[in-house]
Amino acid sequence: MFHVSLSAQQIPSGRVVKVADGDTFTLLVNGHEQVKVRLEGIDAPEKKQAFGIKAKEFLSSMIWNQGEVTISVSKKDRYGRSVAKVSTSSVEDVNLEMIKAGYAWHYTDYSNDELYSVAESKAREDRVGLWQDPDPIRPQDFRKKKTTPLL
């Protein structure tokens, strides 16, 4: 097996071989090429964060053993992952469904998708998923805390 990183505009299909967390997975393309994919426009809780495991499980339920998964790549991130919108035969926009279920924030630092903003507002209002927490911490803030050295 070897790793491949797709450029923007390529729209491959493949089978999910690993779900790392609530917004990252590995897609097997052409039977042997592995593509690391980061879901575009969302930020899911880290695995060691509240709702992190549930976010991973929810993403897995939509893309694991679901046959072909299609990604629409917009760019590569600084880690070489293909940043993409994801769909399956039964889910048109996996990224949006993560937000609707309350397992991801709309990542407004990198996305201005109005549907994602509306979905997050509704999930907050309905207190679903991570919005049940009285004080949810954005993953980017959690990551900063984790890497800040103690004085």
Side-chain angles (χ1 to χ4, degrees), residues 12 16 18 24 27 34 42 62 93-95 127-128 134 138:
V16 174
K18 178 182 179 185
T24 309
L27 189 69
Q34 290 189 10
I42 75 168
M62 287 190 287
D93 187 341
V94 168
N95 313 37
R127 301 187 57 77
V128 297
R138 290 175 5 146

Side-chain angles (χ1 to χ4, degrees), residues 34-81:
Q34 290 189 10
V35 178
K36 287 196 176 192
V37 179
R38 171 70 162 78
L39 274 66
E40 180 180 0
I42 75 168
D43 201 12
E46 298 294 321
K47 285 187 277 190
K48 293 188 177 192
Q49 189 176 353
F51 292 92
I53 299 298
K54 292 229 181 249
K56 178 182 176 182
E57 290 171 352
F58 188 74
L59 177 60
S60 293
S61 74
M62 287 190 287
I63 64 173
W64 187 259
N65 286 330
Q66 297 301 312
E68 290 285 300
V69 171
T70 302
I71 62 173
S72 178
V73 179
S74 63
K75 65 180 181 178
K76 287 189 209 176
D77 69 9
R78 63 182 172 184
Y79 304 108
R81 299 174 298 191

